């Protein structure tokens, strides 16, 4: 008799909508969807904390939050604005990163939940 294992449930990640200046020349407010694609199970350790896919503009972009060894968080985005300005100004953040940072300022940083022991 062969025992079948139940398939593992996929990890659940959130999708958040943030209104940002749009991609057109008038920069009319437009909804952007931020979908979490990775979350580090140990967010206090140096390395990649979380990654998101951003859609709603002309193209999809990726954002990554990276914790440094000294505890700071560096933000990376693949949008052309961040790539171009990032080469010239180290501290530059694009509208996608600013929108995500503003969201965390509003709701607080992600908190690691501990499983309760029954």
């Amino acid at each position: 008799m062969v025992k079948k294992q139940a398939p593992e449930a996929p990890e659940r990640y959130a999708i958040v909508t943030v209104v940002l200046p749009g991609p057109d020349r008038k920069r009319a407010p437009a909804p952007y969807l931020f979908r979490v694609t990775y979350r580090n199970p140990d967010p206090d350790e140096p390395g990649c904390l979380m990654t998101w896919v951003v859609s709603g503009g002309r193209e999809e972009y990726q954002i990554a939050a990276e914790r440094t060894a000294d505890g700071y968080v560096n933000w990376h985005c693949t949008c052309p604005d961040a790539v171009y300005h990032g080469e010239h100004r180290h501290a530059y953040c694009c509208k996608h990163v600013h929108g995500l940072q503003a969201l965390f300022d509003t709701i607080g940083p992600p908190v690691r939940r501990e499983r309760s022991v029954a």
Side-chain angles (χ1 to χ4, degrees):
M1 177 175 206
V2 177
K3 239 184 191 179
K4 290 186 178 182
Q5 292 182 345
E8 289 186 31
E11 293 191 41
R12 294 185 175 99
Y13 294 122
I15 296 176
V16 178
T17 302
V18 178
V19 176
L20 299 173
D24 60 352
R25 288 185 179 262
K26 293 184 180 183
R27 299 179 54 83
Y32 284 78
L33 299 175
F34 290 76
R35 182 173 52 88
V36 176
T37 55
Y38 171 76
R39 184 167 185 223
N40 190 336
D42 192 359
D44 296 327
E45 291 296 314
C48 184
L49 291 175
M50 293 179 84
T51 60
W52 297 262
V53 170
V54 182
S55 57
R58 289 188 181 105
E59 298 178 29
E60 277 194 350
Y61 304 115
Q62 288 78 39
I63 294 178
E66 168 197 20
R67 183 172 306 284
T68 62
D70 53 0
Y72 291 102
V73 176
N74 289 330
W75 294 86
H76 309 278
C77 184
T78 61
C79 75
D81 197 32
V83 171
Y84 175 77
H85 289 293
E87 292 176 359
H88 304 291
R89 291 182 280 170
H90 181 68
Y92 179 80
C93 287
C94 65
K95 69 180 180 182
H96 309 106
V97 170
H98 278 290
L100 202 52
Q101 288 173 334
L103 178 67
F104 286 136
D105 288 345
T106 302
I107 64 171
V111 176
R112 182 177 178 188
R113 294 184 186 158
E114 298 295 328
R115 291 185 180 194
S116 60
V117 178

